[in-house]
Amino acid sequence: MSPIGRMHPLLLHLPIGFSVILLVFLLLKNEFEAKTYEVIVKLLLTLTALTASIVALMGFFLSKEGGYDADSLQIHKWTGTAVSILSYAISLFSEQIQFTSKNYGAWGLLASIAIAGHFGADITHGENYLFEAFQTQKEIPQFSENNTLYEAAIFPIFETKCLNCHNDQKVKGELNMSSIQKIMKGGKNGAIWKVGDVLNSHIIQRANLPLDEKEHMPPKGKPQLRTDEIDLLKAWINEGADVKKTIKAYLASSETKKLALKFINMKASKSETKVYAFSMPSESNLKEVNTPFCSVFQFSNGSPALQADFFVSKKYDRKNLENLSKVSEQLVILNLAKMPVKDEDLALIANFQHLERLNLNQTDITGKTLEQLKKCKNLESIALAGTKVSKDNLQTLLDLPNLKEVFVWNTAIDEAAVIDLSKKYTKIRFDRGCLDNPNEVLKLNPPILVNEEFIIKTNTPITLKHTLKNVKIRYTLDGSEPDSTTVNIYEKPIIIDNYTKLKAIATKENWYASKKIEYSFFKSNFVPDSVYMTNLPDPKYSGKGGVSLYDLKKGPIDNFSDKAWLGFREKEFATLFEFKNAKPMKGLIISCLQKMDSFIMIPAMVEVWGGNSKKDLKIIQKIVSKLPTKMEGNANLGIQIPVNKGTFKMIKLVVKPIQKLPSWHPGKGQKAWFFVDEVFFY
């Protein structure tokens, strides 16, 4: 009866609507003929009674699912039953009730519906939902570094995305998230996080499931967790999930602290309602200034003020900066960090008369033309970290009337200069960043992969680098995990000539080793001329069909909805690859996705069939996968399948997804997904 019960929220609007229409007819009684009026009223009374009874019965079925506050549910049951009985009684005795009293009956019926609806709304949407809009809005709390990170950044996420279904009145899955004490009790599946273990933390697993999965949380149709919110929860869980630790107690290098401060600042900026006098930008101008490497957008809904962010230094084009003149009046925030901006470019920037925040971190400016920015009278914040700006250069700007903060870490402006400037310019905050503490052990950033292509032909060099000096990059190519004892130390480009899985970390004396980076390189000597898919992928993850398998475009590991990916679950992957001319085949590589928290796994089995026509296809290789024994991180994996040397015009590939997820997986017993973006032949 559960599906019938779930129609309760849908159909409860019928008795409400009928009772309102009934009241309208009663008020307009004199506008109708007596017989017509009597028939219509009788019909409306009958429909109200019938639908109210059906809705009450459906509500009874829905209540059996559990997860609701017992007291609130009991009140709602009785008031809902009262509505159905009252509407039936009025319908039954309508002829005995005089016209003057019928109005009272209709008003009483509408009042009883309002009371029952109020208690229903309390269960579904939280206590006092109906009258909440009339109450004074709560002030947005202001947080400082003395607050716990949990109350400042973590609980606000739970409050907006989880409390709707996990509160004192509605305890879905036996989980109440209205306070930390109740959260720590967990739900029917136990604790919602495991300290230091993101992959096995229930809250992260549920958030990462495909949206259409029943177990995905928040449910489809509810406000979803954003990527930055999930990243913050992951970092917080990894760093101990401490609910009592203050923000200032976290190290400056803490990923949790960085993400939390960004989250808190974002909430604070949304609460500010700064009014600008200039006009809204035109849609055509906005369209013209937006490019693949320059994003221009309204940073506040309904505000004319714009923010422009530049991306990918190699793709930087001064013309895009010049193009911003079309929205110069509305440009308030400009982010040029890490772009190859020169001193002469500051003359362009100076024309943005309403600029308030300017980020020039790690650009190529020397400070010689910094004085030109004095035209920006509204400038409040300027970031010059990692540039060659000197104290003398900077002083040319410090008389700006609205300037409040200047970021000068990793510049020629030393501590003595900052102290001197702070005394002279007391209204300006000079930020030198995180100063070295000889007793603090920091964690290295991961190595950087220079290569942009992951599909190789032959003898391809892999180039790695690190931004710090005297860092040793240790790597493996055999699938093993690198650590501080790994003997392979990167000194020059690594030459590869086959499918290769590179794993690397950065190490340095008196530093913690970095996180691991992992990349797969795929070898492709030739592509098929035609592809025929026997079984089509799931409609939700159909990519570009068979073309996706040989267009040499890799899919991102963090977005399985990308058009590069094809997803299979109910059906096995079965595809025929045809070559016009027979190819000397040594093997093939299936590029697939691993995202265990979304049920996306390596396949259970792969079969390869070969021949020169459909009629003479014979099985030439069969591989049964060695399945993992625990949750692992997201990765783009390659299944390398060698075949006996031969020439083939046709290759048929059959890939069978896992039919039952293992017992250690949170979705144990359910079917796994198989996602593929390319099949390479060599």
Side-chain angles (χ1 to χ4, degrees), residues 333-532:
I333 300 175
L334 178 59
N335 180 10
L336 287 160
K338 299 182 180 179
M339 296 297 114
V341 177
K342 308 292 183 184
D343 289 327
E344 52 268 28
D345 295 331
L346 297 188
L348 286 173
I349 297 171
N351 293 324
F352 303 139
Q353 55 184 311
H354 292 125
L355 199 62
E356 295 177 1
R357 282 188 275 167
L358 175 61
N359 188 343
L360 295 169
N361 287 343
Q362 300 179 53
T363 56
D364 294 338
I365 66 169
T366 64
K368 292 179 182 178
T369 62
L370 203 63
E371 187 177 5
Q372 296 188 58
L373 296 179
K374 291 180 72 174
K375 294 180 183 178
C376 301
K377 301 296 184 183
N378 295 308
L379 197 63
E380 298 176 1
S381 171
I382 183 168
L384 301 164
T387 65
K388 296 179 181 178
V389 172
S390 66
K391 178 184 176 183
D392 292 338
N393 301 144
L394 182 60
Q395 278 189 288
T396 62
L397 283 186
L398 299 182
D399 288 323
L400 282 169
N402 295 307
L403 194 60
K404 298 174 183 175
E405 59 181 9
V406 180
F407 297 87
V408 293
W409 40 270
N410 198 22
T411 65
I413 304 169
D414 58 19
E415 186 176 2
V418 167
I419 293 172
D420 184 44
L421 291 172
S422 298
K423 290 178 181 178
K424 187 175 180 181
Y425 302 95
T426 55
K427 293 182 179 180
I428 300 175
R429 181 176 70 87
F430 297 90
D431 193 323
R432 291 195 64 223
C434 180
L435 303 179
D436 290 337
N437 179 353
N439 299 317
E440 183 180 13
V441 180
L442 301 176
K443 187 172 185 174
L444 289 167
N445 289 328
I448 298 169
L449 177 71
V450 177
N451 298 60
E452 294 182 356
E453 297 294 331
F454 297 95
I455 302 171
I456 65 172
K457 296 291 184 184
T458 183
N459 293 335
T460 301
I462 301 176
T463 305
L464 301 169
K465 68 176 184 179
H466 201 278
T467 53
L468 295 180
K469 295 179 179 179
N470 304 318
V471 169
K472 292 182 179 179
I473 299 176
R474 301 176 185 270
Y475 68 92
T476 64
L477 302 175
D478 59 1
S480 60
E481 300 298 317
D483 57 30
S484 57
T485 64
T486 299
V487 294
N488 289 336
I489 298 175
Y490 179 83
E491 294 175 346
K492 60 181 181 180
I494 307 160
I495 306 299
I496 60 173
D497 188 34
N498 213 326
Y499 166 69
T500 301
K501 184 185 288 185
L502 168 73
K503 298 181 181 181
I505 61 169
T507 62
K508 185 179 180 180
E509 190 174 352
N510 297 323
W511 289 67
Y512 290 124
S514 73
K515 290 182 179 179
K516 176 188 70 178
I517 61 167
E518 182 176 329
Y519 295 99
S520 294
F521 294 86
F522 302 87
K523 184 174 182 179
S524 175
N525 289 120
F526 36 81
V527 297
D529 296 296
S530 302
V531 171
Y532 308 97

Side-chain angles (χ1 to χ4, degrees), residues 177-396:
M177 299 181 70
S178 58
S179 70
I180 185 57
Q181 293 78 15
K182 292 171 182 177
I183 291 174
M184 298 305 286
K185 291 179 181 178
K188 68 179 181 181
N189 295 309
I192 65 172
W193 65 71
K194 289 188 178 181
V195 175
D197 189 357
V198 167
L199 286 176
N200 288 303
S201 291
H202 197 57
I203 188 170
I204 303 300
Q205 290 172 348
R206 291 293 189 94
N208 282 329
L209 288 174
L211 187 60
D212 290 324
E213 288 287 343
K214 181 183 176 182
E215 302 297 319
H216 175 87
M217 290 294 161
K220 188 176 181 181
K222 300 284 187 181
Q224 297 297 305
L225 287 164
R226 302 191 310 270
T227 302
D228 61 319
E229 292 174 331
I230 294 175
D231 289 343
L232 173 56
L233 290 173
K234 284 181 177 180
W236 180 67
I237 292 169
N238 267 338
E239 291 191 39
D242 193 331
V243 298
K244 296 181 179 179
K245 192 172 182 179
T246 60
I247 297 172
K248 69 179 181 182
Y250 284 85
L251 296 175
S253 58
S254 164
E255 185 71 12
T256 303
K257 185 172 184 176
K258 291 176 185 175
L259 291 170
L261 290 176
K262 182 179 178 182
F263 177 80
I264 296 165
N265 289 338
M266 181 179 66
K267 283 183 67 100
S269 66
K270 284 184 178 179
S271 67
E272 296 171 2
T273 54
K274 191 169 183 178
V275 178
Y276 294 95
F278 46 81
S279 60
M280 294 286 287
S282 69
E283 289 293 329
S284 58
N285 282 343
L286 266 179
K287 191 173 182 179
E288 287 180 34
V289 296
N290 269 284
T291 70
F293 305 103
C294 175
S295 176
V296 184
F297 54 93
Q298 292 170 268
F299 68 84
S300 177
N301 191 29
S303 170
L306 299 179
Q307 176 172 339
D309 291 339
F310 281 75
F311 306 97
V312 189
S313 59
K314 290 181 181 179
K315 302 292 184 180
Y316 173 76
D317 189 342
R318 192 174 189 267
K319 290 181 180 178
N320 290 335
L321 187 59
E322 294 172 352
N323 201 33
L324 290 179
S325 63
K326 294 173 181 175
V327 291
S328 61
E329 184 186 18
Q330 292 87 9
L331 194 62
V332 171
I333 300 175
L334 178 59
N335 180 10
L336 287 160
K338 299 182 180 179
M339 296 297 114
V341 177
K342 308 292 183 184
D343 289 327
E344 52 268 28
D345 295 331
L346 297 188
L348 286 173
I349 297 171
N351 293 324
F352 303 139
Q353 55 184 311
H354 292 125
L355 199 62
E356 295 177 1
R357 282 188 275 167
L358 175 61
N359 188 343
L360 295 169
N361 287 343
Q362 300 179 53
T363 56
D364 294 338
I365 66 169
T366 64
K368 292 179 182 178
T369 62
L370 203 63
E371 187 177 5
Q372 296 188 58
L373 296 179
K374 291 180 72 174
K375 294 180 183 178
C376 301
K377 301 296 184 183
N378 295 308
L379 197 63
E380 298 176 1
S381 171
I382 183 168
L384 301 164
T387 65
K388 296 179 181 178
V389 172
S390 66
K391 178 184 176 183
D392 292 338
N393 301 144
L394 182 60
Q395 278 189 288
T396 62

Side-chain angles (χ1 to χ4, degrees), residues 18-32 37 40-41 44 99-107 110:
F18 288 137
S19 62
V20 171
I21 296 170
L22 172 65
L23 187 61
V24 171
F25 270 92
L26 291 173
L27 293 172
L28 300 176
K29 170 185 143 185
N30 296 330
E31 302 296 323
F32 299 92
Y37 173 76
I40 291 174
V41 169
L44 286 172
F99 286 118
T100 53
S101 62
K102 281 185 180 179
N103 286 356
Y104 296 124
W107 282 110
L110 201 59

